[in-house]
Amino acid sequence: MEIFKYLEKYDYEQLLFCQDKQSGLKAIIAIHDTTLGPALGGTRMWTYASEEEAIEDALRLSRGMTYKNAAAGLNLGGGKPSSSVIRVRIKMKKCSVHSVGISKG
């Protein structure tokens, strides 16, 4: 996948990568469009076969959230974090997503 070409083709705003060594969290956050407001989208927790698969999933889902939020008449854009749990799944329940960042909560 040529990431920058894909981002440009579908007009994405941001693609972020996060990690937390202590919990084993590895996350990709895709922000598609914030024209109508801050990005909204739930976290997908999944074990991906590859990093590329996780990136594609986050991008595809964030774009879908843009259209879903607009169709619902919400003043919100589309975003989607995808998290891949490698070591400790239980600690992921203590993590929450806030706008564009991930924090322990």
Side-chain angles (χ1 to χ4, degrees):
M1 165 191 256
E2 294 184 55
I3 294 173
F4 285 106
K5 283 186 180 181
Y6 193 92
L7 295 175
E8 187 176 341
K9 180 179 179 180
Y10 295 107
D11 206 21
Y12 285 89
E13 292 179 11
Q14 295 183 44
L15 182 61
L16 307 159
F17 298 87
C18 310
Q19 71 170 352
D20 181 74
K21 291 179 185 179
Q22 187 177 15
S23 67
L25 169 73
K26 293 184 188 258
I28 297 164
I29 303 169
I31 306 296
H32 179 252
D33 190 318
T34 57
T35 302
L36 295 178
L40 172 73
T43 302
R44 166 155 302 173
M45 293 173 57
W46 195 256
T47 301
Y48 294 96
S50 68
E51 291 175 353
E52 184 173 342
E53 185 181 294
I55 292 167
E56 287 177 8
D57 197 38
L59 290 170
R60 182 180 57 79
L61 292 167
S62 69
R63 189 165 156 240
M65 289 306 301
T66 295
Y67 299 120
K68 216 177 197 183
N69 293 334
L74 301 175
N75 290 326
L76 297 166
K80 195 74 174 180
S82 291
S83 300
S84 179
V85 181
I86 292 176
R87 288 191 296 132
V88 185
R89 185 171 292 273
I90 295 167
K91 288 194 177 185
M92 284 297 295
K93 292 181 181 177
K94 295 182 180 178
C95 295
S96 59
V97 177
H98 301 283
S99 296
V100 183
I102 293 182
S103 66
K104 294 177 187 170

